């Protein structure tokens, strides 16, 4: 059974008189123990999609269509009280810049303990304290540092402490939004290795939201590429992010552009081309392919018809008229 099944999810933000459709009929499934990376530039809807699972969307956002099913239970329409029973226990979220979210006047162990006692009041204090030390050790911090204050930790250690806290109630799904942003490269590598390890040890399903393709490649089995509120390509990470003889083999021109903007360290030294232009205005209806105005391979049909999502190989699909042509 899938841990998470999102079907046809549509999320709008109210802005003044109008609204912006941030996520437009997105469907996604995550299996037990699977790690899925969601990538795309700022404003593509990846964080909104992540926040929708624990129903932590901002107050001006509304889910106008679709379903979110977590461990077989439908979530949309649940009360705050009901969601509070599921958050931390079934799904935990590591927010962007989470390492700065620790309370500076409380010791680390106390903050993790509080999370356990709030969400599992039936757990005895001794058991909860033992679990705190286990968690601290699990994320690679010596239990002797459990009584430290956040300012006594480096950025990487604070991020580890946040990850320990997110695992306090043994969730089946962890959603991490840019878990390595603002960390130095050594701490980034350590956090990515930690996430990969935790996932195997705890049989955790992981959704990692990032703009960093190499981070996704290190940790995730599958990648989902979002552009302007929709999924444009998804598939096994090794297939979608592959370069064959230095040439990107992704199916969607947007994925190719993302990869083109990411230097290949083993290849020839070239200036990364980048992607010109801006994503479309999501407060207005869009005709045709959302990427058409920036796509170097756009055709006439792209400006008038929305490309369907086609399967390229089992598990790998793309929403592009070029993929339709090569599949037929
Ligand atoms: Fe480019 Fe057309 Fe494919 Fe859109 S559908 S990505 S415009 S080729």
């Amino acid at each position: 059974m899938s841990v998470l099944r999102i079907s046809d999810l549509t999320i709008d933000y109210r802005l003044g008189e109008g609204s912006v459709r941030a996520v437009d009929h997105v469907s996604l499934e995550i299996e037990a123990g699977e790690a899925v990376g969601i990538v795309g530039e700022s404003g593509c809807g990846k964080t909104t999609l992540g926040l929708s699972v624990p129903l932590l969307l901002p107050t001006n956002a509304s889910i106008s269509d679709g379903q979110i099913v977590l461990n077989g239970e439908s979530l949309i329409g649940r009360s705050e009280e009901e969601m509070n029973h599921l958050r931390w226990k079934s799904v935990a979220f590591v927010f962007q810049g989470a390492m700065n979210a620790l309370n500076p006047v409380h010791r680390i162990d106390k903050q993790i303990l509080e999370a356990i006692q709030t969400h599992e009041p039936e757990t005895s204090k001794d058991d909860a304290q033992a679990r705190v030390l286990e968690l601290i050790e699990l994320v690679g911090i010596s239990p002797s540092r459990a009584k430290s204050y956040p300012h006594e930790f480096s950025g990487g250690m604070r991020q580890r402490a946040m990850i320990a806290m997110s695992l306090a109630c043994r969730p089946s799904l962890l959603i991490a939004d840019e878990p390595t942003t603002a960390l130095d490269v050594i701490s980034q590598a350590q956090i990515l290795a930690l996430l990969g390890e935790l996932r195997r040890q705890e049989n955790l399903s992981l959704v990692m939201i990032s703009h960093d393709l190499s981070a996704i490649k290190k940790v995730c089995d599958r990648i989902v590429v979002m552009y302007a509120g929709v999924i444009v390509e998804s598939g096994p990470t090794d297939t979608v992010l592959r370069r064959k003889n230095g040439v990107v083999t992704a199916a969607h021109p947007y994925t190719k552009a993302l990869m083109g903007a990411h230097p290949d360290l083993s290849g020839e030294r070239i200036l990364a081309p980048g992607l010109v232009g801006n994503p479309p205005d999501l407060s207005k209806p869009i005709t045709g392919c959302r990427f058409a105005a920036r796509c170097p391979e756009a055709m006439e049909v792209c400006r008038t018809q929305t490309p369907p999502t086609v399967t390229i190989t089992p598990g790998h699909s793309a929403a592009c008229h070029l993929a339709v042509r090569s599949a037929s």
Side-chain angles (χ1 to χ4, degrees):
M1 185 179 73
S2 305
V3 167
L4 176 68
R5 185 161 46 82
I6 293 176
S7 344
D8 258 339
L9 190 71
T10 301
I11 303 170
D12 296 310
Y13 283 101
R14 283 183 311 283
L15 288 180
E17 296 290 289
S19 68
V20 165
R21 179 147 291 183
V23 172
D24 199 352
H25 293 95
V26 163
S27 298
L28 178 65
E29 274 194 46
I30 318 258
E31 302 297 327
E34 191 183 24
V36 175
I38 304 180
V39 292
E41 66 201 281
S42 300
C44 70
K46 56 190 190 304
T47 294
T48 299
L49 181 64
L51 286 171
S52 69
V53 178
L55 299 189
L56 287 173
L57 289 164
T59 49
N60 67 334
S62 59
I63 295 176
S64 38
D65 202 2
Q67 282 293 320
I68 302 172
V69 177
L70 181 65
N71 295 321
E73 294 185 67
S74 178
L75 300 187
I76 295 178
R78 294 216 171 208
S79 66
E80 261 306 285
E81 200 189 339
E82 286 174 308
M83 282 311 294
N84 276 338
H85 286 294
L86 294 175
R87 291 179 193 135
W88 294 76
K89 284 184 172 182
S90 295
V91 55
F93 202 102
V94 176
F95 291 90
Q96 247 181 66
M99 60 184 181
N100 300 319
L102 288 163
N103 189 326
V105 298
H106 289 303
R107 298 178 194 274
I108 297 292
D109 62 343
K110 186 178 171 202
Q111 299 191 47
I112 302 176
L113 184 71
E114 200 177 282
I116 299 175
Q117 290 180 319
T118 305
H119 294 275
E120 287 181 2
E122 67 284 1
T123 306
S124 72
K125 193 166 180 190
D126 285 352
D127 286 352
Q129 275 169 336
R131 175 89 181 131
V132 170
L133 294 180
E134 243 175 60
L135 285 162
I136 286 177
E137 203 166 6
L138 185 71
V139 298
I141 298 174
S142 165
S144 64
R145 302 292 308 274
K147 296 226 169 284
S148 304
Y149 286 97
H151 74 269
E152 295 174 298
F153 276 9
S154 65
M157 286 170 85
R158 275 184 279 140
Q159 188 65 313
R160 283 166 186 267
M162 283 307 299
I163 292 171
M165 199 185 292
S166 70
L167 300 178
C169 302
R170 302 181 176 89
S172 46
L173 174 67
L174 177 69
I175 303 176
D177 190 2
E178 303 280 8
T180 55
T181 302
L183 293 176
D184 61 83
V185 281
I186 305 282
S187 302
Q188 278 184 17
Q190 289 171 343
I191 294 291
L192 293 176
L194 172 68
L195 286 172
E197 224 172 274
L198 288 175
R199 187 196 135 201
R200 279 184 289 277
Q201 268 181 38
E202 308 284 295
N203 195 31
L204 192 65
S205 300
L206 176 70
V207 173
M208 194 165 119
I209 298 167
S210 182
H211 61 271
D212 184 345
L213 295 179
S214 53
I216 298 282
K217 201 170 178 182
K218 269 194 194 111
V219 178
C220 300
D221 312 303
R222 200 149 55 85
I223 183 168
V224 170
V225 183
M226 287 189 74
Y227 182 77
V230 297
I231 293 177
V232 293
E233 183 162 5
S234 70
T237 311
D238 290 344
T239 306
V240 176
L241 299 184
R242 193 156 60 110
R243 289 178 203 260
K244 201 172 168 189
N245 303 325
V247 179
V248 169
T249 60
H252 197 282
Y254 178 62
T255 316
K256 289 182 196 168
L258 283 182
M259 288 193 67
H262 197 268
D264 177 10
L265 295 181
S266 60
E268 201 188 326
R269 285 186 69 184
I270 51 157
L271 190 64
L275 179 58
V276 289
N278 293 305
D281 180 353
L282 298 180
S283 65
K284 300 193 175 105
I286 297 167
T287 307
C289 173
R290 290 162 189 240
F291 189 54
R294 303 169 85 186
C295 180
E297 300 176 65
M299 305 166 284
E300 206 40 51
V301 63
C302 305
R303 301 186 207 284
T304 54
Q305 287 178 32
T306 304
T309 299
V310 290
T311 301
I312 296 151
T313 52
H316 179 200
S317 59
C320 173
H321 287 299
L322 285 174
V324 176
R325 287 189 179 181
S326 40
S328 54

